[in-house]
Amino acid sequence: MSYARGTIAALVDAVVPGTPGAEGVQADGALDIDLDETVETAFNELQEAPEGPVRSLGYETMPFAPVLALLLDIGALELVLRREREESLRSPKDAYAGGPFSRLGPEDRMRAVRLLEADGLFPALDERYPDVPFGIVAYLMQGAMFITAMAAYSDWGDDTERPQGWRQADYPGPAEGYAVHMGYEVEEFVENDYGGGDGAEEDDTDDGATAMAADGGDDSDPEAWFDDRSRSADEAGDAEGGADR
Amino acid sequence: MSGPDADTREPDVVVVGAGGDAPALAWRLGQQGIDVLMLEAGPFHGNERFPNPHAERGEGASRSPADLSGDLLDEQFTAREGDMGSPVDGKLRWGPADADRAPWARTVPQTGVISQVAGVGGTTLHYYGNHPRAFVPAINDQPHWPLDYGDLVPYYQYLEDVHPVKPAPTTPKAELFYEGARRAGYDLTTGLNVEEEGYRPFPNAILQPDEALQGEYDGDFRDLSGDTLAAHEHQGGPHPRGADFERRAKRGSLVSLVPKALDTGHVEIRPNAFATQVLTRAGPGPLEACGVEYRDTWTGRARRVFADVVVLSAGCIETPRLWLNSGLPDDGWVGRGLTTHHFDFVSGRFDADTLEEIIGQRAVEPHQGQAAGSRLDVPGAGGIAVNTFAPGITAASMYSESVNGFAFENDTSGEPWDTEGRVVGQQLKDEMSDYRRTLTLICHTDDRPRQDNGVSLDPSTEDEHGPIARLDWSPHPEDDERRLDLARRSARLLEEAGAEHIHRSAAAPIFLHMQSSMAIGKVLDTGGEALSADRLFVADHSALANGVGGANPTHTGQALALRTAEHLADRYFDGVADPIPADPTPASADD
């Protein structure tokens, strides 16, 4: 097990852990399908090496898997130094490497990812030195989470007819079709008038023949609801804006 | 050192890209007898001249509809998620056709995911066939467009007729959405020109399903015409299998517009051809484009092709990259003003009894029926749509993509959702084990063009095609507010439909819908021609002046490409024998 593979194992195991108490296929996790290998391979094949020093070392593609592993360890170290760790440190599992990321509890590993992409040293450097693309760290973290989740629940890295993630989701796999046609809510759209103050027409008044009537809904007053919602949306909008920054 | 060889054949028009929009333009030009060569960076699927497009180069180009093969499409489009859609090594990715090579690089110094496809048909290879028109006020009331909405309507109508575009059929998951919308107090919209809030079936470029699918059916679906409701749009959707190439239900450009373009006898498509330079010459007046240099992605050989007119249709990222790598003039808006619809996702999980009561079955079954067949329009804020995927994309987009951290540490009290942010661990396993009882909604925000957002060159990173593109995009606080409004409406709709658990992703940027990075009115005149160079046009979503209100952009992109084709023919050839609008609006170069 390489350093890169073992550190990525600690990542994918936190995202989709084995849960031995669960029934049947739900007990299995990412490591049961060697997702660490799939993600490592994906990262090492993410992008061709540009002309320059990396290519002159003999790499055809960028060796991003060890970069990812190194970043995860930096994030873990930062979490420890900031005293933001909330779980006890632990001995790494056999599949893990030995760096700090591999020694964090599973939720703390996610907190380390959050530091790397949003709240920690690299995002702060990105703010302070806008000419250096430190934000690429955040891009790699999002990529790691995206690839892990997609591969865990698809055939990515697994050519069998019905990979584990499909079985866990009870997805039967590709189908030729389904007999679920229930007719039409609208038979044909109409070329309605638009743009015009008093000249504008209500859609459902023009001929009525082409559209099936709406069910009518219930008695709630949508206007009242929207007024109410827009007030709370404003308040929450501020909160979200703050979180984003 | 001698330069690259020049092609002996000189088409009238050379088009860079054969993606979602360019085939509309090429078809329209071909109809006028104008010879068009399309250079496409990616592979050509379902074409007998390229029988193993990801393993070997095949022949150089295709110019006959007889080359198109439904059997090959069936063989290549397996409908498996990873095989088709892995952004690293899937068949539908942004990268060279050669499966042994890595994707092409972009510099993205921020959180986000790019979801673009190289290949004939471009990103319509994995789109969901969604063809709503722009929201009327996004064109007429927002300050970005130098055209009126009415200028686009005849082109919309033309496309709605030829694809065709029809109301999506009701399926159980659509009925669940409709019921939630009705209970939340929304009215049904039946008009094509949308100015008001309302719910409706998606106007989709997907052939209507066979009536046989309304009852008990136990055939193999090969005896059907039209959509089989297999929900494989994202994976390329080749259904119904066994049908002729042009009769595949999902009307991506590959199966809908490309055969029509080839059928004119005036269009040639050369895949595996990555354009690296727009060639120019100093004319008596302004700068003039006169050709393109491109590189064969299999052999590495560079060639030049000269033409009377050059059209850039390489998409919102590569069109400005090519422009900037060619040293063309930039007044500050080349590559800028990018809009992305600032996506969000909100999902609802339902218990079986509730579902039984509302839709008469005990699961949502997100994998059955059109992937996106029903929507709620909210002009001014954007749109909300049912957006269902196979499990891998569900896990990736719904639960792994967020700017708001992790659900296990987010407090959602006072919010209309139970959880928010990334979902991992046991919580993710729980969500995914309930996949079949989950309805996922996407929010398409009406984000507005801003000069800070867009594409520039990364001079520190070059690939074989020159300095690569760098992408920077962040939402304005007003875009965040619109998105939050849509997320709240989504949650309300799901709650009204009876969801027992609601999750909001607060998604990180997904660069899938991209618009307005080479906008008409900024970089282009109203005919789609560059303001700073003659004989150079842009015909892809980058030419849109804004994000069309949050409506899916393909319909407007193709409509504008048709219109641009007519102006191109008027300016440099013998005009258009059969203009689409009865009374065309003259384009102006003075905007």
Side-chain angles (χ1 to χ4, degrees), chain A:
Chain A
M1 177 262 296
S2 69
Y3 165 72
R5 172 83 58 87
T7 307
I8 291 169
L11 174 72
V12 301
D13 194 31
V15 176
V16 187
T19 44
E23 284 181 21
V25 70
Q26 300 300 347
D28 293 332
L31 294 181
D32 294 298
I33 50 170
D34 299 328
L35 204 75
D36 47 339
E37 182 181 355
T38 302
V39 174
E40 181 192 30
T41 303
F43 260 70
N44 280 334
E45 294 177 355
L46 211 52
Q47 170 171 318
E48 297 201 331
E51 299 302 328
V54 177
R55 191 167 273 268
S56 66
L57 287 172
Y59 288 102
E60 289 187 3
T61 58
M62 293 294 283
F64 273 133
V67 173
L68 172 63
L70 186 64
L71 289 169
L72 292 171
D73 270 344
I74 292 172
L77 190 62
E78 185 180 353
L79 188 79
V80 171
L81 293 175
R82 283 173 175 262
R83 302 178 193 277
E84 291 181 6
R85 193 169 51 77
E86 295 190 18
E87 297 168 310
S88 57
L89 293 172
R90 53 197 71 188
S91 300
K93 288 185 189 178
D94 289 346
Y96 296 4
F101 187 78
S102 300
R103 292 171 188 276
L104 294 176
E107 291 190 347
D108 278 344
R109 278 172 247 159
M110 298 297 100
R111 293 187 180 98
V113 168
R114 181 168 49 68
L115 284 180
L116 287 162
E117 63 182 353
D119 302 331
L121 175 68
F122 284 107
L125 288 171
D126 192 38
E127 289 273 305
R128 183 151 177 192
Y129 301 105
D131 292 344
V132 185
F134 283 111
I136 288 169
V137 172
Y139 185 68
L140 291 177
M141 288 305 126
Q142 180 57 65
M145 298 301 294
F146 188 96
I147 290 169
T148 298
M150 183 173 169
Y153 287 98
S154 75
D155 57 303
W156 188 345
D158 186 343
D159 292 338
T160 58
E161 191 181 346
R162 211 166 157 234
Q164 172 178 297
W166 287 358
R167 283 181 284 126
Q168 288 178 328
D170 196 21
Y171 172 67
E176 295 308 312
Y178 291 102
V180 291
H181 185 2
M182 296 170 65
Y184 294 94
E185 186 78 356
V186 173
E187 294 283 346
E188 288 288 346
F189 292 118
V190 295
E191 190 63 72
N192 57 313
D193 291 340
Y194 59 88
D198 51 10
E201 293 179 27
E202 291 296 323
D203 300 338
D204 56 359
T205 57
D206 4 76
D207 58 30
T210 52
M212 290 160 62
D215 188 297
D218 61 15
D219 295 325
S220 67
D221 177 0
E223 290 304 323
W225 182 75
F226 291 131
D227 286 348
D228 184 45
R229 287 323 241 202
S230 59
R231 274 197 300 279
S232 53
D234 286 344
E235 289 154 24
D238 293 338
E240 183 192 58
D244 281 354
R245 285 186 289 273

Side-chain angles (χ1 to χ4, degrees), chain B residues 135-302:
Chain B
F135 294 148
V136 180
I139 308 283
N140 284 352
D141 299 345
Q142 288 184 29
H144 314 109
W145 281 85
L147 304 179
D148 288 332
Y149 180 83
D151 295 331
L152 295 172
V153 167
Y155 301 95
Y156 284 141
Q157 290 170 334
Y158 190 79
L159 289 164
E160 284 154 7
D161 191 41
V162 302
H163 276 309
V165 177
K166 295 288 183 187
T170 305
T171 58
K173 65 190 176 190
E175 179 53 28
L176 183 62
F177 178 86
Y178 294 148
E179 186 58 21
R182 290 179 204 119
R183 291 180 181 182
Y186 293 104
D187 290 329
L188 178 68
T189 293
T190 59
L192 288 160
N193 307 306
V194 173
E195 299 177 284
E196 306 289 339
E197 287 175 17
Y199 75 91
R200 57 175 168 153
F202 234 124
N204 278 351
I206 301 179
L207 300 179
Q208 299 291 43
D210 201 296
E211 296 293 314
L213 296 179
Q214 290 207 40
E216 295 294 317
Y217 173 82
D218 60 0
D220 66 359
F221 295 89
R222 287 174 177 257
D223 57 333
L224 303 180
S225 61
D227 188 18
T228 66
L229 302 173
H232 294 318
E233 287 88 340
H234 193 84
Q235 294 98 294
H239 301 78
R241 293 194 185 276
D244 289 344
F245 188 93
E246 309 90 289
R247 299 302 300 163
R248 301 306 166 113
K250 188 189 90 164
R251 312 301 288 160
S253 294
L254 176 66
V255 301
S256 182
L257 297 174
V258 164
K260 294 178 178 66
L262 294 177
D263 215 27
T264 65
H266 294 282
V267 175
E268 177 175 325
I269 302 176
R270 176 176 289 274
N272 310 309
F274 201 112
T276 54
Q277 284 281 319
V278 176
L279 306 173
T280 55
R281 64 179 163 228
L287 193 67
E288 275 190 358
C290 63
V292 169
E293 184 170 319
Y294 66 95
R295 184 178 183 281
D296 187 301
T297 64
W298 288 90
T299 66
R301 191 168 167 206

